[in-house]
Amino acid sequence: MAERTLIIIKPDGIQRQVSGQIISRLERRGFKLIGAKFLHINEELANELYSVHRGKPFLSGLVRFISSSPSLVMVWEADGIIEIFRTMMGATFGCNAETGTIRGDFSCGKRFNLVHGSDSSESARREIAIFFRPNELVNYDLSNAHWIYGEND
Ligand code: UDP
Ligand code: MG
């Protein structure tokens, strides 16, 4: 099975109505959508998602932001997607993110940076399980997979 990652369009992305533009980038890169939920992440879920940041000074502000308005929570699949998507997101703060990345093209602040992407396969497994039961992730073939992945030998 190809690698999977959790990608969230955070409240600022939904409120600014740029979800379609972000999803277009994922589709254009050849990623496959496996699961999606539009929901208002509550404080409890936000604390679970960001449990690795427990004790850090920005956690309470981060939880307030993520639980302030709805998010689009998705699972996407592709070989190497975790690292590829981290590169596509750009640096954590929009003000430091390179132009051409999602954060670098859509933001210039710090906390409000539009997207979340898992940072390792262990994080991806843990984070996906917070939002999706296994039977909510859909298995299917992309008809153009051959033309996206090609021959890599
Ligand atoms: N964040 C923040 N202040 C900081 C660092 C991070 O508000 O000093 C927020 C920001 O929205 C970031 C999220 O907390 O996306 C999670 O931080 P992480 O270090 O995991 O960054 P990411 O993996 O999202 O690039
Ligand atoms: Mg992170």
Side-chain angles (χ1 to χ4, degrees):
M1 193 208 300
E3 193 170 71
R4 291 177 172 183
T5 195
L6 187 80
I7 296 179
I8 302 176
I9 301 181
K10 295 179 179 182
D12 52 340
I14 301 299
Q15 289 289 345
R16 291 176 55 194
Q17 300 181 290
V18 294
S19 305
Q21 294 181 61
I22 293 170
I23 289 171
S24 283
R25 293 179 180 222
L26 308 179
E27 292 180 330
R28 193 171 68 184
R29 193 69 193 249
F31 297 167
K32 181 164 79 168
L33 180 64
I34 295 294
K37 282 186 186 180
F38 182 63
L39 76 162
H40 197 131
I41 297 177
N42 62 25
E43 276 187 39
E44 189 187 338
L45 280 175
N47 273 301
E48 206 176 332
L49 174 66
Y50 288 119
S51 59
V52 290
H53 295 310
R54 211 166 280 154
K56 295 189 186 159
F58 62 84
L59 180 65
S60 61
L62 171 61
V63 168
R64 197 177 340 116
F65 162 47
I66 293 297
S67 60
S68 64
S69 187
S71 295
L72 183 56
V73 182
M74 300 172 285
V75 179
W76 290 78
E77 189 180 276
D79 290 337
I81 191 168
I82 293 173
E83 198 182 330
I84 299 171
F85 185 66
R86 293 289 299 184
T87 306
M88 289 169 74
M89 280 203 300
T92 298
F93 294 154
C95 56
N96 300 328
E98 275 191 55
T99 297
T101 64
I102 296 168
R103 288 165 169 173
D105 286 352
F106 290 92
S107 64
C108 58
K110 291 189 170 178
R111 176 166 301 142
F112 285 41
N113 57 6
L114 296 125
V115 275
H116 168 86
S118 307
D119 64 6
S120 67
S121 48
E122 298 72 50
S123 302
R125 241 189 315 276
R126 187 187 72 78
E127 293 171 358
I128 289 168
I130 294 172
F131 294 99
F132 295 92
R133 288 190 290 273
N135 67 359
E136 292 174 323
L137 301 174
V138 185
N139 272 313
Y140 64 103
D141 292 323
L142 272 186
S143 61
N144 61 359
H146 170 74
W147 299 105
I148 293 169
Y149 294 112
E151 295 170 349
N152 295 316
D153 52 33

